[in-house]
Amino acid sequence: GGSEHGAVELQRARDHLNAAKGAVASGDEKPAATHAQQAQLDAELAVARAQSAVARRAADEVHASNKMLSEEAQRSATDLQ
């Protein structure tokens, strides 16, 4: 889903960043800091999820290639018999 690539977390980070900006504009320093920290955490999670999705796709490609090689090897072995 969308979360797989970090889209949900990235949107949450943007929402927290906007909330932090609003809190700063209102002079509410503590909520601003809390929202800013949460925005940073959500952004980091978004990056991790995006990297995980890329790694998962690469692993799937390797798995598919290995399966094809194995099937080809079995066909070659059968042809030799």
Side-chain angles (χ1 to χ4, degrees):
S3 182
E4 175 179 310
H5 303 289
V8 171
E9 292 79 9
L10 187 56
Q11 183 57 51
R12 229 182 359 230
R14 287 182 184 125
D15 292 344
H16 278 291
L17 185 57
N18 288 333
K21 288 177 182 178
V24 166
S26 299
D28 297 328
E29 293 178 16
K30 189 170 183 176
T34 300
H35 282 296
Q37 289 172 341
Q38 190 61 49
Q40 179 67 31
L41 292 173
D42 286 333
E44 290 173 5
L45 182 56
V47 169
R49 288 200 187 262
Q51 290 172 340
S52 177
V54 169
R56 191 168 31 255
R57 278 195 304 275
D60 288 346
E61 289 174 12
V62 169
H63 177 71
S65 294
N66 284 343
K67 184 177 177 185
M68 287 174 43
L69 285 171
S70 177
E71 290 169 356
E72 183 62 31
Q74 287 176 353
R75 277 194 296 273
S76 294
T78 302
D79 290 347
L80 293 176
Q81 292 180 356

